[in-house]
Amino acid sequence: MATAEVRRATVDDAARVAALLHDFNTEFDTASPGAAVLAERLRGLLAGTQTFALLGGEPAVGIALVTLRPNVWYPGPVALLDEMYVAPPARGAGIGGAIVERLIADCRRDGVSVIEINVDEGDVDAQRFYERHGFHGSDPQTEERAYYFFQEL
């Protein structure tokens, strides 16, 4: 069983990050270009400053992939938690919680103003998980629900 240790991934971790992301999509019947393609893309992204990944467990069995962008409404960047995944045998051991705590700590340290997460409507377990860690699916002041819209190009 993996420990709940969390660390920032390096370019050398691209293959492991890719394998976890591919496993995530495979588990939930979502298309994936494959671990090799993802690893190649990640080598470039992880070498830059706008994408980072956190690996949970030793060996790594959990992943958070995060992208940063400027935003006119905030003084610091906005972080988007693109993907978060913990392999099924490691769930319930605190690895996901440790990853989110590290994400929040790193974002605070780096001057990030807000962390955004998109969660599917039917994924109530993920919604509860993020709410336990201080995230909101609605505006805390107005209680208005947040919605996510997209268009693939």
Side-chain angles (χ1 to χ4, degrees):
M1 178 59 78
T3 64
E5 175 185 327
V6 178
R7 65 180 177 83
R8 187 78 70 119
T10 67
V11 172
D12 293 336
D13 295 308
R16 184 63 190 142
V17 171
L20 287 165
L21 293 173
H22 176 74
D23 291 349
F24 176 43
N25 279 23
T26 300
E27 180 180 342
F28 293 99
D29 296 319
T30 303
S32 168
V37 171
L38 292 171
E40 183 61 31
R41 291 175 184 168
L42 284 161
R43 278 188 271 286
L45 291 171
L46 293 174
T49 60
Q50 294 181 313
T51 300
F52 69 91
L54 297 173
L55 290 171
E58 190 55 51
V61 293
I63 175 73
L65 183 66
V66 182
T67 53
L68 302 170
R69 70 178 192 285
N71 186 291
V72 69
W73 302 114
Y74 297 100
V78 171
L80 175 62
L81 178 57
D82 291 305
E83 304 292 352
M84 177 144 169
Y85 177 71
V86 176
R91 292 180 188 155
I95 293 171
I99 290 171
V100 169
E101 288 172 13
R102 172 71 186 263
L103 170 63
I104 293 167
D106 282 8
C107 285
R108 280 190 177 129
R109 178 198 69 213
D110 295 342
V112 170
S113 293
V114 66
I115 301 170
E116 297 177 339
I117 306 169
N118 298 311
V119 179
D120 293 336
E121 182 179 13
D123 196 348
V124 294
D125 290 338
Q127 292 172 35
R128 282 194 294 261
F129 172 82
Y130 291 122
E131 286 172 351
R132 278 196 313 273
H133 291 280
F135 293 89
H136 307 278
S138 60
D139 185 309
Q141 295 177 4
T142 65
E143 296 300 318
E144 187 172 69
R145 294 277 313 150
Y147 291 96
Y148 164 75
F149 293 83
F150 73 99
Q151 181 183 84
E152 286 191 13
L153 304 175

